[in-house]
């Protein structure tokens, strides 16, 4: 796993060594590693020439950044108000059953993570979820079961 | 309504949305065939920057991000003799629940967005455009980046644009997930690589914005209106929509067209473009198909999730800035969320309150603490553990949050839930713990 300074160097070197690059820098590092391990914060801090506390402050402020590894497929249920009134809770419950995990958890095989997010911005297609960058729209419990019918098997392998 | 005779529908006016549905509308080739950048060329060759600002002022275009500030006036605040660089910032951090209009513009007509940004940059002599797109819109980011690449290759963006002396570049900045960064100064902080804490104003961004330099921040849809105004003149824009109230000298009216959306419990959710003047009811019934079969509309939030709700009998109000304020609600982002009679309003309040509690940046105590109090109280009531005192506590709490913070997130957190509590108090009372007889 690329978590040392040398492994990250090719990514870091594409950014100027200035504080204002911090968010883009964190996005690039997380894009490579999947999350932000604690030791990486110091590396990023040195590159952006800011204190480590500021890196942590910024990384913990934005919902995109995470400090723990997540599954290969990140399943996010939209809890926007349009999705809420179209049954987002039922979609979440069905996903919890299909994946065999609760909101905020990752399957043991690290295949799936399940989370809820603020509005995805597909309100005309509610209720919706995103899996990675892909949005699945106008969901029903049945459609969820179909989408994830192989998931539980892999989760309990 | 379905029983309306055909031909009586409030008409759509496709100006911003004229290229929606055209195959490959996001490519430079198709966009230019359909007139893209002709108005940038007109502005650069035939108009001075001040003339562009004058047309914007004449148009009475008001900001489409929710606040409705007059765009031409905002541009006029930028100092003419600044020794610092000037920036344009296109606010594409569309994060308000229920709002999905800017996504259409960015994904289906990125060159229109870019042309609007460039004309704005010319008007205020800006040398760089930042487009701050929420990170949850990877599709929009990809389309914009492709558009920038194509536009640069075609010399409508970059150095000495179209052979003139005007140079301007454009950078897309991906947000990282924070609703408060849609607030213009929160956005600036985020652009500078910091936590998105809104700034105290003044100084206003037009004087001291990104990196301490004069910065104009406009919503995606606002900027997308600019090419049409350059083509047809500000007066033609002002002649559309709802004019200012002649009895109110402060009224600015609601000029031009607006993208309006409907989501939630309707048959055909979607986004359409109209001249201001359509009523909320016409929008919901004639375009969004009305409520689902066998259901009745219970409440509508006319713009995003941060405005007070309207009841079914209050829907004959026009979708307009002043009209909705008079109806004690607000236009917001003009993307309505419809709730029918199957919705538990206490649960809806818990959903809304959770969003604002989660998104409060934590800078101002009334918002940081208050939004969580509101959420906890609604959760308690929803769980059947609330008491009459909780309702009193909410009423006591709202005025201590609203208007006591740096930015408007606190108001947005209070307005919808307070209106729901007032209009549906019986639903809250029905969930309270029943005080045993004889208990004191």
């Amino acid at each position: 796993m690329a978590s040392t300074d040398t492994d990250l160097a090719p990514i870091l070197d594409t950014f100027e060594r200035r504080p204002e690059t911090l968010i883009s820098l964190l996005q690039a590092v997380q894009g490579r590693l999947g999350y932000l391990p604690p030791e990486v914060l110091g590396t990023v801090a040195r590159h952006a020439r800011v204190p480590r506390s500021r890196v942590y402050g910024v990384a913990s402020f934005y919902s995109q950044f995470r400090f723990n590894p997540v599954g290969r497929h990140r399943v996010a249920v939209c809890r926007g108000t349009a999705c809420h009134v179209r049954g987002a809770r039922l979609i979440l419950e069905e996903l919890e059953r299909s994946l065999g995990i609760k909101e905020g958890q990752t399957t043991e095989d690290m295949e799936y993570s399940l989370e809820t997010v603020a509005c995805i911005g597909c309100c005309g297609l509610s209720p919706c979820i995103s899996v990675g960058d892909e949005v699945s729209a106008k969901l029903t419990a049945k459609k969820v079961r179909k989408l994830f019918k192989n998931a539980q098997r892999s989760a309990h392998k | 309504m379905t029983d309306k005779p055909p031909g009586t529908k409030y008409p759509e006016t496709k100006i911003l949305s004229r290229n929606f549905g055209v195959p490959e509308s996001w490519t430079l080739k198709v966009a230019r065939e359909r007139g893209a950048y002709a108005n940038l060329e007109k502005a650069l060759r035939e108009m001075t920057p001040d003339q562009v600002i004058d047309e914007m002022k004449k148009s009475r275009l008001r900001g489409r991000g929710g606040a409705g500030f007059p765009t031409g006036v905002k541009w006029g605040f930028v100092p003419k003799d600044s020794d610092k660089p000037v920036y344009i910032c296109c606010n594409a951090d569309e994060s308000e629940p229920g709002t999905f209009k800017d996504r259409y513009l960015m994904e289906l007509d990125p060159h229109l967005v870019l042309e609007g940004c460039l004309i704005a940059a010319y008007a205020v002599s800006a040398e760089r455009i930042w487009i701050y797109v929420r990170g949850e819109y990877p599709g929009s980011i990809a389309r914009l980046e492709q558009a920038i690449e194509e536009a640069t290759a075609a010399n409508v963006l970059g150095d000495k644009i179209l052979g003139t002396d005007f140079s301007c570049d454009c950078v897309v900045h991906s947000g990282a997930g924070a609703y408060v960064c849609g607030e213009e100064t929160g956005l600036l902080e985020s652009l500078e690589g910091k936590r998105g804490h809104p700034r105290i104003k003044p100084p206003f961004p037009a004087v001291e914005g990104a990196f301490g330099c004069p910065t104009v921040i406009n919503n995606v849809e606002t900027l997308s209106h600019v090419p049409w105004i350059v083509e047809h003149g500000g007066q033609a824009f002002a002649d559309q929509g709802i004019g200012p109230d002649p009895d109110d000298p402060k009224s600015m009216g609601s000029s031009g067209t607006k993208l309006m959306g409907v989501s939630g419990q309707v048959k055909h959710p979607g986004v359409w473009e109209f001249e201001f003047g359509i009523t909320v009811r016409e929008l919901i019934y004639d375009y969004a198909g009305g409520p689902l079969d066998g259901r009745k509309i219970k409440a509508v939030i006319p713009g995003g999730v941060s405005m007070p709700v309207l009841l079914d009998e209050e829907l004959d109000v026009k979708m307009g800035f002043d009209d909705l304020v008079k109806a004690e609600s607000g236009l917001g982002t003009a993307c309505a969320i419809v709730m029918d009679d199957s919705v538990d309003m206490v649960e809806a309040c818990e959903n809304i309150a959770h969003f604002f509690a989660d998104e409060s940046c934590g800078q101002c105590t009334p918002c940081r603490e208050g939004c969580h109090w509101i959420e906890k109280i609604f959760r308690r009531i929803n769980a059947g553990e609330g008491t009459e005192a909780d309702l009193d506590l909410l009423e006591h709490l709202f005025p201590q949050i609203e208007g006591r913070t740096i930015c408007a997130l606190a108001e947005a957190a209070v307005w919808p839930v307070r209106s729901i509590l007032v209009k549906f108090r019986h639903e809250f009372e029905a969930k309270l713990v029943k005080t045993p007889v004889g208990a004191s």
Side-chain angles (χ1 to χ4, degrees):
Chain A
M1 185 181 243
S3 60
T4 65
D5 288 17
T6 37
D7 289 337
L8 285 177
I11 294 174
L12 298 177
D13 288 346
T14 60
F15 292 91
E16 286 184 53
R17 305 195 62 166
R18 290 188 314 197
E20 57 262 37
T21 63
L22 181 54
I23 292 172
S24 312
L25 202 52
L26 288 168
Q27 285 170 333
V29 170
Q30 180 165 284
R32 174 86 170 82
L33 304 178
Y35 72 111
L36 299 172
E39 63 272 20
V40 159
L41 300 184
T43 314
V44 170
R46 278 191 296 282
H47 190 86
R49 301 184 196 278
V50 294
R52 208 183 126 105
S53 58
R54 174 152 161 211
V55 178
Y56 182 76
V58 167
S60 58
F61 182 83
Y62 295 96
S63 63
Q64 191 182 58
F65 299 119
R66 37 185 191 268
F67 300 111
N68 292 302
V70 285
R72 274 197 331 121
H73 307 284
R74 289 178 51 230
V75 183
V77 182
C78 179
R79 60 169 186 236
T81 308
C83 285
H84 169 79
V85 298
R86 297 290 301 240
R89 176 170 297 179
L90 299 174
I91 300 301
L92 176 65
E93 285 168 7
E94 188 53 50
L95 276 163
E96 289 183 334
R97 272 193 296 274
S98 289
L99 298 173
I101 49 174
K102 293 280 172 204
E103 178 194 345
Q105 294 179 336
T106 300
T107 55
E108 266 178 43
D109 62 358
M110 299 300 284
E111 278 295 307
Y112 294 94
S113 296
L114 181 60
E115 58 188 284
T116 59
V117 292
C119 188
I120 300 179
C122 296
C123 319
L125 304 170
S126 63
C128 57
I129 63 169
S130 65
V131 183
D133 283 347
E134 294 291 315
V135 174
S136 296
K138 295 190 173 177
L139 286 174
T140 58
K142 200 173 157 192
K143 279 193 198 169
V144 170
R145 276 196 296 277
K146 209 173 148 198
L147 269 174
F148 294 95
K149 67 172 183 284
N150 294 323
Q152 208 171 16
R153 208 173 322 137
S154 76
H156 292 286
K157 240 184 328 212
Chain B
M1 265 165 277
T2 44
D3 55 4
K4 252 190 178 183
T8 61
K9 267 179 34 169
Y10 191 95
E12 288 182 78
T13 305
K14 296 188 179 184
I15 292 176
L16 297 175
S17 57
R18 66 184 178 274
N19 294 334
F20 292 8
V22 174
E24 310 257 283
S25 58
W26 51 89
T27 61
L28 182 65
K29 184 172 169 292
V30 174
R32 282 200 112 165
E33 280 165 12
R34 298 181 62 84
Y37 300 107
N39 296 313
L40 170 66
E41 186 151 15
K42 178 183 175 185
L44 294 183
R45 298 203 197 284
E46 299 170 21
M47 297 169 82
T48 64
D50 281 343
Q51 282 173 327
V52 177
I53 295 180
D54 282 345
E55 291 303 321
M56 292 302 294
K57 285 182 178 164
K58 265 188 235 165
S59 76
R60 286 189 279 106
L61 170 65
R62 297 175 66 175
R64 301 304 199 224
F69 192 80
T71 308
V73 176
K74 200 183 230 186
W75 293 9
F77 288 154
V78 176
K80 304 277 177 225
D81 50 354
S82 172
D83 50 2
K84 293 175 185 165
V86 177
Y87 300 124
I88 294 289
C89 203
C90 173
N91 186 346
D93 192 41
E94 179 173 74
S95 318
E96 171 115 352
T99 305
F100 53 113
K101 61 181 182 72
D102 295 339
R103 178 198 277 268
Y104 280 74
L105 284 167
M106 291 187 280
E107 297 189 5
L108 299 178
D109 209 348
H111 287 288
L112 178 69
V113 177
L114 216 47
E115 186 178 9
C117 291
L118 281 161
I119 297 172
Y122 173 67
V124 300
S125 306
E127 59 181 52
R128 164 162 287 185
I129 298 157
W130 305 92
I131 306 182
Y132 187 104
V133 191
R134 70 184 297 217
E136 291 84 346
Y137 279 7
S140 301
I141 293 172
R143 287 272 163 86
L144 285 167
E145 284 181 336
Q146 187 201 343
I148 288 167
E149 201 174 299
E150 286 186 310
T152 308
N155 188 228
V156 289
L157 175 66
D159 283 339
K160 301 210 172 294
I161 291 170
L162 295 166
T164 64
D165 284 337
F166 174 60
S167 298
C168 184
D169 69 356
C170 181
V171 177
V172 174
H173 181 96
S174 166
Y179 168 70
V180 76
C181 293
E183 197 281 339
E184 58 178 14
T185 57
L187 185 150
L188 293 175
E189 288 289 300
S190 181
L191 196 63
E192 294 179 6
K194 302 176 205 157
R195 292 161 71 97
H197 287 181
R199 299 173 182 171
I200 292 170
K201 295 185 268 194
F204 289 94
V207 178
E208 206 177 309
F211 308 103
C213 301
T215 306
V216 168
I217 306 161
N218 285 139
N219 171 264
V220 173
E221 188 184 349
T222 311
L223 289 163
S224 300
H225 272 300
V226 176
W228 194 91
I229 293 171
V230 165
E231 184 180 356
H232 299 272
Q235 191 56 50
F237 190 86
D239 290 342
Q240 296 176 313
I242 306 171
D245 180 352
D247 298 331
D248 179 1
K250 278 197 240 159
S251 160
M252 290 181 288
S254 306
S255 62
T257 62
K258 177 85 187 75
L259 293 178
M260 298 183 191
V262 181
S263 67
Q265 289 159 315
V266 289
K267 286 200 190 91
H268 311 296
V271 171
W272 303 267
E273 183 180 5
F274 305 99
E275 278 187 40
F276 279 108
I278 190 171
T279 65
V280 183
R281 190 181 304 283
E282 288 168 322
L283 175 65
I284 292 171
Y285 281 86
D286 294 349
Y287 285 91
L292 302 172
D293 287 331
R295 291 286 168 198
K296 281 195 298 217
I297 291 179
K298 189 171 187 178
V300 175
I301 308 184
V305 77
S306 60
M307 292 295 153
V309 294
L310 297 171
L311 300 174
D312 186 37
E313 59 266 31
E314 296 169 326
L315 298 183
D316 294 305
V317 57
K318 286 177 181 171
M319 290 286 283
F321 289 103
D322 307 334
D323 306 76
L324 277 162
V325 168
K326 270 185 217 148
E328 296 182 348
S329 183
L331 181 69
T333 57
C335 285
I337 302 177
V338 176
M339 304 181 192
D340 70 23
D341 52 1
S342 70
V343 171
D344 177 331
M345 297 311 279
V346 183
E347 225 180 270
C349 274
E350 190 187 327
N351 171 270
I352 295 169
H354 174 77
F355 172 76
F356 288 107
D358 210 39
E359 297 294 346
S360 173
C361 81
Q363 192 178 203
C364 311
T365 309
C367 177
R368 182 187 62 233
E369 304 300 322
C371 288
H372 282 277
W373 278 42
I374 294 176
E375 187 198 1
K376 274 186 202 164
I377 297 168
F378 282 135
R379 185 178 298 155
R380 189 154 67 219
I381 296 171
N382 196 29
E385 294 162 8
T387 63
E388 190 68 33
D390 282 323
L391 299 183
D392 297 339
L393 181 56
L394 281 170
E395 278 164 12
H396 178 68
L397 199 55
F398 293 146
Q400 299 194 53
I401 300 171
E402 181 190 7
R404 293 174 189 270
T405 54
I406 291 172
C407 83
L409 190 143
E411 272 94 79
V414 167
W415 289 351
V417 295
R418 181 169 57 194
S419 72
I420 293 173
L421 182 59
V422 169
K423 290 179 176 174
F424 297 95
R425 195 179 170 101
H426 55 281
E427 289 198 26
F428 293 81
E429 286 168 346
K431 286 199 171 189
L432 299 180
V433 175
K434 301 283 174 290
T435 314
V437 180
S440 56

